[in-house]
Amino acid sequence: DAKTTQPNSMESNEEEPVHLPCNHSTISGTDYIHWYRQLPSQGPEYVIHGLTSNVNNRMASLAIAEDRKSSTLILHRATLRDAAVYYCILRHFGNEKLTFGTGTRLTIIP
Amino acid sequence: NAGVMQNPRHLVRRRGQEARLRCSPMKGHSHVYWYRQLPEEGLKFMVYLQKENIIDESGMPKERFSAEFPKEGPSILRIQQVVRGDSAAYFCASSSQGISETQYFGPGTRLLVL
C-alpha cells in the first residue's frame, strides 16, 4: 500500500476551523483516501473518504489536490469532542484491510 | 441500531493461559476484521473473515493466534499460551459487503498479560 505522511500533532482553538494535512505522493489511480479518527480509549471511527473530487458530509470535508498527491481534512468548527488521533489511509480498491499509520494527534484548546 | 460489540472490554490473563475475544458485528454485516493496537502505536491488521471463511490472515502471527466466524454466533479471536507481548488493545470491525465498504469498529478489548 502507498504510504501517507501526517504531522504528529496539531492544536486548534475551540469553535475554529481545523485543516489536517496528509501527503501521499505515491498514490495510485485506484487508491481511495480514507480518514478515520480515534477518540481516547475508543475504537476508530470513520470520518470521510474520497477518490478525486472534494467530499462533504455532516462530520467534515475532504479536499483532494488536483494531482491527488495530498489531501486535507477540514473540520469546520472544532469542538472539544473532536480531540482525537486522525488517520489518513490509502485504501486500494478491492483491498479490504486498512493500513493505519501513526496519525495526527489533534488537541482542541478551550 | 446496535453497533459492533466486543466482549470482554478488559481481560487479564497470566502467561501461558488462553484468551478468547468475542466480536458481534453490526446487524446485517457479514464481514469481520480484527486489528491489534500495541501501546502508543497505530492499529495493525490481523485477519479478515466472512461467515465460516477466513479471507485474509496475512497479519496474523504464525503461532498461537487463530480466528473464526461461525455461521451462528460471534467472531472469536483466540490467543493460546499468552505472553506479555500480547498485551494490547484488540479491535474488531465489520462491514456489510466487503469490497471497500466502510468498516465500523467496536470499542475494543484491552488484554493485559501478567
Side-chain angles (χ1 to χ4, degrees):
Chain A
D1 288 330
K3 289 190 66 175
T4 63
T5 303
Q6 299 177 254
N8 288 333
S9 62
M10 290 183 63
E11 288 185 350
S12 180
N13 293 320
E14 193 178 9
E15 299 187 4
E16 291 187 355
V18 182
H19 291 235
L20 295 161
C22 181
N23 289 321
H24 27 78
S25 58
T26 59
I27 191 171
S28 73
T30 50
D31 283 338
Y32 283 77
I33 303 161
H34 286 248
W35 284 82
Y36 280 77
R37 71 180 185 181
Q38 187 174 20
L39 279 66
S41 301
Q42 296 189 27
E45 175 186 27
Y46 168 79
V47 178
I48 201 167
H49 78 280
L51 183 61
T52 57
S53 303
N54 294 342
V55 184
N56 300 294
N57 66 22
R58 64 175 181 82
M59 289 181 70
S61 295
L62 177 60
I64 301 172
E66 197 169 332
D67 62 5
R68 301 187 70 233
K69 293 184 184 300
S70 66
S71 60
T72 302
L73 179 70
I74 302 165
L75 306 179
H76 295 287
R77 194 165 169 268
T79 68
L80 295 177
R81 194 196 172 277
D82 292 320
V85 178
Y86 286 77
Y87 297 99
C88 170
I89 299 168
L90 297 185
R91 191 177 184 191
H92 194 77
F93 181 77
N95 185 3
E96 298 313 313
K97 58 188 173 187
L98 296 172
T99 302
F100 289 81
T102 52
T104 296
R105 183 175 298 276
L106 176 64
T107 300
I108 304 299
I109 302 168
Chain B
N1 274 338
V4 178
M5 299 178 69
Q6 292 188 248
N7 67 82
R9 295 290 306 275
H10 299 273
L11 183 62
V12 179
R13 285 288 179 265
R14 297 191 181 280
R15 282 178 295 170
Q17 292 184 320
E18 179 179 288
R20 281 182 178 245
L21 288 61
R22 296 174 187 78
C23 169
S24 296
M26 286 179 69
K27 186 176 180 180
H29 286 192
S30 58
H31 299 251
V32 165
Y33 315 81
W34 285 93
Y35 294 82
R36 177 167 66 173
Q37 186 171 34
L38 296 170
E40 304 303 320
E41 293 188 15
L43 283 79
K44 304 294 184 190
F45 168 81
M46 300 181 74
V47 63
Y48 162 40
L49 311 102
Q50 295 178 28
K51 286 282 187 180
E52 300 184 279
N53 286 304
I54 296 175
I55 307 303
D56 181 354
E57 56 182 345
S58 59
M60 286 282 270
K62 300 298 181 195
E63 298 177 347
R64 303 186 297 107
F65 284 72
S66 62
E68 64 176 6
F69 189 17
K71 187 176 180 180
E72 302 292 337
S75 175
I76 306 286
L77 180 68
R78 181 183 177 204
I79 311 172
Q80 295 178 289
Q81 298 176 309
V82 296
V83 301
R84 287 204 174 126
D86 297 332
S87 295
Y90 292 82
F91 293 96
C92 165
S94 72
S95 68
S96 59
Q97 297 181 29
I99 311 179
S100 301
E101 286 288 314
T102 297
Q103 294 182 16
Y104 296 88
F105 283 80
T109 293
R110 281 148 185 84
L111 172 66
L112 176 62
V113 180
L114 300 177

